[in-house]
């Protein structure tokens, strides 16, 4: 009788475990770990919505309405699937999956706002306005130099290779191609042209930069945007606070920030807010600390070559 009862308990336990698995969840060390949907290897963001759940192909088309026009210099290069494929690599780290659906949509709009502004060939009188022409380029058309720093021993210039701007958030200089290439496991130092040949890699390099601090004890653009970063006293005295403005500081430093209300800064902000509108979030949810006009740079250009 006791053996039958024990067997019944085992069967009930097995049934409960199967039900939990069918629901896409399992218990592990007292914590719920999701194994449903996109691959995440136990990430705490595993059960959150993936970007493709709330950001669809038609929205990508609306954000980048003229990218395949005859006037676009990278026509037929950029596409929704390339972005989604690259983004999926970073969703387990929180890209677009942090803080709920609205925050995820805001982060996608923020990231793509930088992409749109940095690859735009738009102007005020252009059809659809200046914010409708993102992803017009995938590389710098008329480089003024080869962007080689001969003194860098870790990532030395390769003979015959030029390190002008390429990608979704353009990369410049040999050391930066080396750093990002190491991050995404691609030999960009020897083959920077990959970023103008493969749209998925171009998005992957840009998202890696968004998610990765450039120096120790500094935040990433992702962290300052989603609220993971807590400013120190030095940050607050330098007028650096969480928000979209600080993402510009992380990515561009004093090339954009600390210069007052400039056209270059406002051009990036306008793309972010326009994309929020198109994604149905609305620019009224842009968040605090939208600009960086009086922020001191995290990394002054005198100390580090700009990306």
């Amino acid at each position: 009788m006791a053996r039958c009862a024990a067997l019944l308990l085992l069967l009930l336990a097995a049934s409960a475990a199967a039900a939990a698995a069918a629901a896409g969840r399992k218990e592990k060390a007292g914590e719920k770990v999701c194994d449903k949907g996109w691959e995440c290897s136990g990430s705490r963001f595993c059960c959150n919505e993936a970007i493709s759940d709330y950001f669809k192909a038609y929205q990508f088309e609306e954000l980048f309405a003229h990218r395949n026009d005859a006037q676009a210099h990278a026509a037929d290069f950029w596409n929704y699937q390339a972005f989604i494929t690259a983004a999926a690599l970073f969703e387990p780290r929180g890209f677009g999956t942090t803080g709920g659906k609205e925050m995820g949509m805001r982060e996608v709009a923020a990231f793509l706002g930088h992409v749109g502004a940095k690859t735009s060939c738009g102007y005020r009188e252009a059809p659809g306005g200046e914010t409708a022409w993102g992803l017009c380029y995938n590389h710098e058309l008329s480089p003024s130099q080869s962007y080689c720093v001969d003194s860098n021993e870790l990532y030395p210039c390769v003979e015959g290779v030029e390190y002008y701007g390429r990608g979704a958030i353009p990369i410049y200089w040999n050391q930066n191609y080396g750093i990002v290439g190491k991050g995404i496991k691609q030999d960009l130092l020897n083959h920077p042209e990959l970023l103008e040949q493969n749209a998925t890699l171009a998005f992957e390099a840009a998202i890696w930069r968004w998610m990765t601090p450039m120096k120790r004890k500094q935040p990433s653009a992702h962290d300052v945007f989603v609220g993971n970063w807590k400013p120190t006293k030095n940050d607050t005295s330098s007028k650096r606070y969480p928000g979209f403005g600080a993402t510009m500081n992380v990515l561009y430093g004093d090339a954009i920030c600390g210069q007052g209300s400039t056209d270059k800064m406002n051009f990036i902000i306008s793309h972010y807010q326009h994309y929020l509108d198109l994604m149905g979030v609305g620019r009224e949810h842009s968040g605090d600390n939208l600009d960086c006009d009086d922020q001191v740079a995290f990394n002054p250009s005198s100390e580090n070559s700009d990306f």
Side-chain angles (χ1 to χ4, degrees), residues 106 110 114 210 221 224-225 229 239-253 256-258 265 268-269 272 286-298:
R106 288 179 57 220
H114 283 279
W210 177 266
V224 302
F225 187 80
W229 173 61
K239 300 184 179 180
R240 298 190 292 252
Y241 299 96
F244 185 77
T247 69
M248 293 186 281
N249 195 330
V250 170
L251 295 174
Y252 318 121
I256 295 290
C257 299
M265 181 191 73
I268 300 170
I269 294 171
Y272 166 49
S286 299
D288 297 331
N289 308 308
L290 187 59
D291 62 60
C292 64
D293 55 8
D294 59 355
Q295 290 186 20
V296 177
F298 282 107

Side-chain angles (χ1 to χ4, degrees), residues 73-74 77-78 119 136-140 165-168 195-197:
H73 300 280
F77 180 76
W78 304 104
T119 59
C136 177
Y137 298 100
N138 62 8
H139 68 277
E140 187 179 7
R166 299 175 176 90
L195 297 186
E196 56 184 287
Q197 295 174 350

